[in-house]
Amino acid sequence: SVSDPTVSSLAQRYTVTFLRRHTNNVITSIQATMNGKEIYSYAGSVGYWNKDWEGKDYPKYIERARKCGFDGLEIFYGRTLEMDDKEVADIKAACKANDIEMYISGGYGRDLDISSLDEDVRKNAVKKSIELAHAFNRIDAHNFSGINYGAWCNFDNPDKKDKLFEQSAKSLKEIGKVC
């Protein structure tokens, strides 16, 4: 339970469950419920066709995702800040031509831990998350999954789990205002 009533209210209206088929990381099944109505979408991960998580030549993978019957393509967030205008235009054109939605995935490291008890780290992570949200928007991506509510594989301070959760909720509220 979240002590912030705004976050609690949002959690009651929007529920997203991410299920990943672990065999070759081929399919990401996203089940979303909005105001009680179920919405389903299926996306392939670019990591299945690519050895590099950062990925290149996304238009080719967008077309391939459509040929495989997917509704979307999941890419790693890393390169979204570095994409030039031509790459962004090519991605958007490929998405439109293939009726594909872009999904962003990734796990934040300790330097982007929005649940950090160190307020400077937390504020920097919120700032970077907002920059990433703007980058995702450039390619019309509206979904960001993965470990973005804290640091990837950070099992420090299990005795402070409630405080970490509150820090994460506070950060997500700040990021959500921009999104």
Side-chain angles (χ1 to χ4, degrees):
S1 126
V2 180
S3 63
D4 185 318
T6 304
V7 175
S8 292
S9 174
L10 287 172
Q12 290 170 5
R13 286 186 305 201
Y14 303 99
T15 306
V16 180
T17 305
F18 296 95
L19 307 168
R20 186 178 304 270
R21 183 181 294 171
H22 293 288
T23 308
N24 294 328
N25 195 26
V26 179
I27 299 172
T28 301
S29 169
I30 300 166
Q31 175 188 8
T33 305
M34 184 173 7
N35 293 325
K37 181 180 177 187
E38 289 186 344
I39 303 166
Y40 293 96
S41 194
Y42 297 94
S45 173
V46 75
Y48 178 68
W49 297 300
N50 193 346
K51 293 180 181 179
D52 178 9
W53 274 107
E54 299 292 328
K56 302 262 186 317
D57 199 13
Y58 288 127
K60 174 177 81 175
Y61 297 116
I62 291 166
E63 184 177 331
R64 191 175 287 177
R66 173 47 61 206
K67 286 180 181 176
C68 289
F70 294 125
D71 300 312
L73 180 68
E74 178 186 80
I75 66 171
F76 182 68
Y77 75 87
R79 284 196 53 250
T80 59
L81 289 170
E82 302 166 3
M83 292 177 174
D84 62 29
D85 291 341
K86 181 184 178 337
E87 184 175 14
V88 168
D90 290 347
I91 288 169
K92 290 171 76 170
C95 285
K96 185 175 181 179
N98 291 282
D99 193 25
I100 288 288
E101 188 173 353
M102 295 299 288
Y103 299 108
I104 309 297
S105 181
Y108 284 167
R110 290 175 190 262
D111 59 324
L112 292 179
D113 184 359
I114 66 171
S115 71
S116 178
L117 300 177
D118 179 328
E119 197 61 18
D120 290 334
V121 171
R122 189 196 71 78
K123 285 180 180 179
N124 184 55
V126 167
K127 180 181 173 189
K128 186 70 166 190
S129 294
I130 290 169
E131 288 175 29
L132 285 165
H134 288 296
F136 304 161
N137 188 55
R138 288 181 66 214
I139 59 171
D140 293 334
H142 305 288
N143 300 289
F144 181 33
S145 66
I147 308 300
N148 46 26
Y149 50 81
W152 180 268
C153 293
N154 183 4
F155 303 110
D156 297 349
N157 302 313
D159 56 320
K160 296 180 181 170
K161 185 176 175 182
D162 289 342
K163 183 62 179 162
L164 293 167
F165 182 84
E166 290 296 327
Q167 288 290 86
S168 183
K170 178 170 73 172
S171 298
L172 289 170
K173 186 176 179 181
E174 292 173 34
I175 296 163
K177 286 179 183 177
V178 175
C179 294

PDB file of all heavy atoms in Angstrom, residues 121-140:
ATOM      1  N   VAL A 121      21.376  11.192  -5.350  1.00  0.00           N
ATOM      2  CA  VAL A 121      21.273  10.104  -6.333  1.00  0.00           C
ATOM      3  C   VAL A 121      19.843  10.025  -6.850  1.00  0.00           C
ATOM      4  O   VAL A 121      19.600   9.926  -8.057  1.00  0.00           O
ATOM      5  CB  VAL A 121      21.708   8.752  -5.724  1.00  0.00           C
ATOM      6  CG1 VAL A 121      21.401   7.591  -6.659  1.00  0.00           C
ATOM      7  CG2 VAL A 121      23.195   8.777  -5.372  1.00  0.00           C
ATOM      8  N   ARG A 122      18.873  10.083  -5.946  1.00  0.00           N
ATOM      9  CA  ARG A 122      17.466   9.993  -6.337  1.00  0.00           C
ATOM     10  C   ARG A 122      17.081  11.132  -7.278  1.00  0.00           C
ATOM     11  O   ARG A 122      16.474  10.913  -8.325  1.00  0.00           O
ATOM     12  CB  ARG A 122      16.561  10.000  -5.095  1.00  0.00           C
ATOM     13  CG  ARG A 122      15.092   9.686  -5.423  1.00  0.00           C
ATOM     14  CD  ARG A 122      14.160  10.077  -4.293  1.00  0.00           C
ATOM     15  NE  ARG A 122      14.029  11.509  -4.146  1.00  0.00           N
ATOM     16  CZ  ARG A 122      13.270  12.293  -4.933  1.00  0.00           C
ATOM     17  NH1 ARG A 122      12.567  11.770  -5.911  1.00  0.00           N
ATOM     18  NH2 ARG A 122      13.215  13.576  -4.732  1.00  0.00           N
ATOM     19  N   LYS A 123      17.454  12.354  -6.939  1.00  0.00           N
ATOM     20  CA  LYS A 123      17.107  13.516  -7.778  1.00  0.00           C
ATOM     21  C   LYS A 123      17.761  13.416  -9.153  1.00  0.00           C
ATOM     22  O   LYS A 123      17.145  13.749 -10.168  1.00  0.00           O
ATOM     23  CB  LYS A 123      17.510  14.817  -7.088  1.00  0.00           C
ATOM     24  CG  LYS A 123      16.596  15.195  -5.952  1.00  0.00           C
ATOM     25  CD  LYS A 123      17.038  16.490  -5.302  1.00  0.00           C
ATOM     26  CE  LYS A 123      16.111  16.877  -4.165  1.00  0.00           C
ATOM     27  NZ  LYS A 123      16.536  18.120  -3.513  1.00  0.00           N
ATOM     28  N   ASN A 124      19.014  12.979  -9.206  1.00  0.00           N
ATOM     29  CA  ASN A 124      19.691  12.792 -10.492  1.00  0.00           C
ATOM     30  C   ASN A 124      18.995  11.705 -11.320  1.00  0.00           C
ATOM     31  O   ASN A 124      18.847  11.846 -12.539  1.00  0.00           O
ATOM     32  CB  ASN A 124      21.164  12.434 -10.284  1.00  0.00           C
ATOM     33  CG  ASN A 124      21.903  12.322 -11.600  1.00  0.00           C
ATOM     34  OD1 ASN A 124      21.898  13.245 -12.412  1.00  0.00           O
ATOM     35  ND2 ASN A 124      22.504  11.164 -11.837  1.00  0.00           N
ATOM     36  N   ALA A 125      18.557  10.640 -10.653  1.00  0.00           N
ATOM     37  CA  ALA A 125      17.862   9.560 -11.348  1.00  0.00           C
ATOM     38  C   ALA A 125      16.520  10.040 -11.906  1.00  0.00           C
ATOM     39  O   ALA A 125      16.131   9.674 -13.017  1.00  0.00           O
ATOM     40  CB  ALA A 125      17.662   8.377 -10.405  1.00  0.00           C
ATOM     41  N   VAL A 126      15.819  10.874 -11.162  1.00  0.00           N
ATOM     42  CA  VAL A 126      14.555  11.447 -11.643  1.00  0.00           C
ATOM     43  C   VAL A 126      14.827  12.321 -12.859  1.00  0.00           C
ATOM     44  O   VAL A 126      14.123  12.225 -13.880  1.00  0.00           O
ATOM     45  CB  VAL A 126      13.840  12.243 -10.527  1.00  0.00           C
ATOM     46  CG1 VAL A 126      12.706  13.090 -11.089  1.00  0.00           C
ATOM     47  CG2 VAL A 126      13.330  11.298  -9.446  1.00  0.00           C
ATOM     48  N   LYS A 127      15.868  13.152 -12.789  1.00  0.00           N
ATOM     49  CA  LYS A 127      16.221  14.031 -13.915  1.00  0.00           C
ATOM     50  C   LYS A 127      16.534  13.199 -15.162  1.00  0.00           C
ATOM     51  O   LYS A 127      16.054  13.492 -16.264  1.00  0.00           O
ATOM     52  CB  LYS A 127      17.418  14.892 -13.531  1.00  0.00           C
ATOM     53  CG  LYS A 127      17.872  15.843 -14.610  1.00  0.00           C
ATOM     54  CD  LYS A 127      19.085  16.652 -14.172  1.00  0.00           C
ATOM     55  CE  LYS A 127      19.597  17.467 -15.341  1.00  0.00           C
ATOM     56  NZ  LYS A 127      20.872  18.091 -15.056  1.00  0.00           N
ATOM     57  N   LYS A 128      17.323  12.148 -14.997  1.00  0.00           N
ATOM     58  CA  LYS A 128      17.687  11.282 -16.130  1.00  0.00           C
ATOM     59  C   LYS A 128      16.455  10.540 -16.665  1.00  0.00           C
ATOM     60  O   LYS A 128      16.290  10.385 -17.878  1.00  0.00           O
ATOM     61  CB  LYS A 128      18.763  10.285 -15.692  1.00  0.00           C
ATOM     62  CG  LYS A 128      19.317   9.452 -16.810  1.00  0.00           C
ATOM     63  CD  LYS A 128      20.154  10.271 -17.759  1.00  0.00           C
ATOM     64  CE  LYS A 128      20.965   9.372 -18.651  1.00  0.00           C
ATOM     65  NZ  LYS A 128      21.954  10.084 -19.413  1.00  0.00           N
ATOM     66  N   SER A 129      15.580  10.104 -15.781  1.00  0.00           N
ATOM     67  CA  SER A 129      14.358   9.417 -16.204  1.00  0.00           C
ATOM     68  C   SER A 129      13.475  10.340 -17.039  1.00  0.00           C
ATOM     69  O   SER A 129      12.863   9.907 -18.023  1.00  0.00           O
ATOM     70  CB  SER A 129      13.574   8.913 -14.988  1.00  0.00           C
ATOM     71  OG  SER A 129      14.293   7.912 -14.320  1.00  0.00           O
ATOM     72  N   ILE A 130      13.420  11.601 -16.675  1.00  0.00           N
ATOM     73  CA  ILE A 130      12.640  12.585 -17.443  1.00  0.00           C
ATOM     74  C   ILE A 130      13.275  12.803 -18.813  1.00  0.00           C
ATOM     75  O   ILE A 130      12.576  12.872 -19.828  1.00  0.00           O
ATOM     76  CB  ILE A 130      12.478  13.890 -16.633  1.00  0.00           C
ATOM     77  CG1 ILE A 130      11.532  13.630 -15.448  1.00  0.00           C
ATOM     78  CG2 ILE A 130      11.973  15.024 -17.524  1.00  0.00           C
ATOM     79  CD1 ILE A 130      11.487  14.754 -14.432  1.00  0.00           C
ATOM     80  N   GLU A 131      14.605  12.876 -18.860  1.00  0.00           N
ATOM     81  CA  GLU A 131      15.301  12.984 -20.155  1.00  0.00           C
ATOM     82  C   GLU A 131      14.978  11.773 -21.031  1.00  0.00           C
ATOM     83  O   GLU A 131      14.728  11.914 -22.231  1.00  0.00           O
ATOM     84  CB  GLU A 131      16.816  13.051 -19.955  1.00  0.00           C
ATOM     85  CG  GLU A 131      17.332  14.336 -19.378  1.00  0.00           C
ATOM     86  CD  GLU A 131      18.833  14.283 -19.094  1.00  0.00           C
ATOM     87  OE1 GLU A 131      19.561  13.542 -19.803  1.00  0.00           O
ATOM     88  OE2 GLU A 131      19.271  14.962 -18.156  1.00  0.00           O
ATOM     89  N   LEU A 132      14.987  10.590 -20.428  1.00  0.00           N
ATOM     90  CA  LEU A 132      14.662   9.373 -21.175  1.00  0.00           C
ATOM     91  C   LEU A 132      13.213   9.396 -21.657  1.00  0.00           C
ATOM     92  O   LEU A 132      12.929   9.005 -22.790  1.00  0.00           O
ATOM     93  CB  LEU A 132      14.914   8.138 -20.312  1.00  0.00           C
ATOM     94  CG  LEU A 132      16.380   7.772 -20.123  1.00  0.00           C
ATOM     95  CD1 LEU A 132      16.544   6.778 -18.970  1.00  0.00           C
ATOM     96  CD2 LEU A 132      16.974   7.210 -21.404  1.00  0.00           C
ATOM     97  N   ALA A 133      12.301   9.874 -20.832  1.00  0.00           N
ATOM     98  CA  ALA A 133      10.893   9.950 -21.241  1.00  0.00           C
ATOM     99  C   ALA A 133      10.738  10.838 -22.475  1.00  0.00           C
ATOM    100  O   ALA A 133       9.983  10.511 -23.398  1.00  0.00           O
ATOM    101  CB  ALA A 133      10.032  10.467 -20.093  1.00  0.00           C
ATOM    102  N   HIS A 134      11.466  11.945 -22.504  1.00  0.00           N
ATOM    103  CA  HIS A 134      11.434  12.818 -23.690  1.00  0.00           C
ATOM    104  C   HIS A 134      12.002  12.093 -24.913  1.00  0.00           C
ATOM    105  O   HIS A 134      11.474  12.224 -26.019  1.00  0.00           O
ATOM    106  CB  HIS A 134      12.190  14.122 -23.431  1.00  0.00           C
ATOM    107  CG  HIS A 134      11.479  15.052 -22.498  1.00  0.00           C
ATOM    108  ND1 HIS A 134      10.266  15.639 -22.785  1.00  0.00           N
ATOM    109  CD2 HIS A 134      11.813  15.490 -21.268  1.00  0.00           C
ATOM    110  CE1 HIS A 134       9.881  16.401 -21.781  1.00  0.00           C
ATOM    111  NE2 HIS A 134      10.802  16.332 -20.842  1.00  0.00           N
ATOM    112  N   ALA A 135      13.064  11.328 -24.709  1.00  0.00           N
ATOM    113  CA  ALA A 135      13.670  10.572 -25.815  1.00  0.00           C
ATOM    114  C   ALA A 135      12.700   9.502 -26.320  1.00  0.00           C
ATOM    115  O   ALA A 135      12.569   9.299 -27.533  1.00  0.00           O
ATOM    116  CB  ALA A 135      14.990   9.938 -25.364  1.00  0.00           C
ATOM    117  N   PHE A 136      12.001   8.831 -25.409  1.00  0.00           N
ATOM    118  CA  PHE A 136      11.025   7.812 -25.813  1.00  0.00           C
ATOM    119  C   PHE A 136       9.905   8.456 -26.624  1.00  0.00           C
ATOM    120  O   PHE A 136       9.413   7.890 -27.594  1.00  0.00           O
ATOM    121  CB  PHE A 136      10.410   7.109 -24.608  1.00  0.00           C
ATOM    122  CG  PHE A 136      11.383   6.460 -23.663  1.00  0.00           C
ATOM    123  CD1 PHE A 136      10.999   6.155 -22.375  1.00  0.00           C
ATOM    124  CD2 PHE A 136      12.682   6.151 -24.050  1.00  0.00           C
ATOM    125  CE1 PHE A 136      11.872   5.555 -21.493  1.00  0.00           C
ATOM    126  CE2 PHE A 136      13.572   5.552 -23.173  1.00  0.00           C
ATOM    127  CZ  PHE A 136      13.165   5.254 -21.889  1.00  0.00           C
ATOM    128  N   ASN A 137       9.502   9.638 -26.199  1.00  0.00           N
ATOM    129  CA  ASN A 137       8.427  10.351 -26.883  1.00  0.00           C
ATOM    130  C   ASN A 137       8.814  10.689 -28.323  1.00  0.00           C
ATOM    131  O   ASN A 137       7.956  10.696 -29.208  1.00  0.00           O
ATOM    132  CB  ASN A 137       8.065  11.610 -26.099  1.00  0.00           C
ATOM    133  CG  ASN A 137       6.840  12.281 -26.657  1.00  0.00           C
ATOM    134  OD1 ASN A 137       5.791  11.670 -26.796  1.00  0.00           O
ATOM    135  ND2 ASN A 137       6.974  13.547 -26.994  1.00  0.00           N
ATOM    136  N   ARG A 138      10.091  10.960 -28.562  1.00  0.00           N
ATOM    137  CA  ARG A 138      10.547  11.278 -29.923  1.00  0.00           C
ATOM    138  C   ARG A 138      10.226  10.166 -30.904  1.00  0.00           C
ATOM    139  O   ARG A 138       9.955  10.431 -32.076  1.00  0.00           O
ATOM    140  CB  ARG A 138      12.063  11.527 -29.947  1.00  0.00           C
ATOM    141  CG  ARG A 138      12.487  12.826 -29.323  1.00  0.00           C
ATOM    142  CD  ARG A 138      13.985  13.015 -29.413  1.00  0.00           C
ATOM    143  NE  ARG A 138      14.404  13.173 -30.813  1.00  0.00           N
ATOM    144  CZ  ARG A 138      15.558  12.728 -31.299  1.00  0.00           C
ATOM    145  NH1 ARG A 138      16.417  12.089 -30.528  1.00  0.00           N
ATOM    146  NH2 ARG A 138      15.868  12.904 -32.555  1.00  0.00           N
ATOM    147  N   ILE A 139      10.265   8.900 -30.434  1.00  0.00           N
ATOM    148  CA  ILE A 139       9.963   7.777 -31.332  1.00  0.00           C
ATOM    149  C   ILE A 139       8.550   7.245 -31.091  1.00  0.00           C
ATOM    150  O   ILE A 139       8.207   6.143 -31.501  1.00  0.00           O
ATOM    151  CB  ILE A 139      11.008   6.639 -31.224  1.00  0.00           C
ATOM    152  CG1 ILE A 139      11.094   6.085 -29.801  1.00  0.00           C
ATOM    153  CG2 ILE A 139      12.363   7.086 -31.731  1.00  0.00           C
ATOM    154  CD1 ILE A 139      11.946   4.826 -29.687  1.00  0.00           C
ATOM    155  N   ASP A 140       7.739   8.045 -30.428  1.00  0.00           N
ATOM    156  CA  ASP A 140       6.337   7.702 -30.139  1.00  0.00           C
ATOM    157  C   ASP A 140       6.181   6.440 -29.305  1.00  0.00           C
ATOM    158  O   ASP A 140       5.201   5.719 -29.444  1.00  0.00           O
ATOM    159  CB  ASP A 140       5.514   7.577 -31.435  1.00  0.00           C
ATOM    160  CG  ASP A 140       5.350   8.904 -32.143  1.00  0.00           C
ATOM    161  OD1 ASP A 140       5.405   9.952 -31.465  1.00  0.00           O
ATOM    162  OD2 ASP A 140       5.183   8.900 -33.369  1.00  0.00           O
TER     163      ASP A 140
END
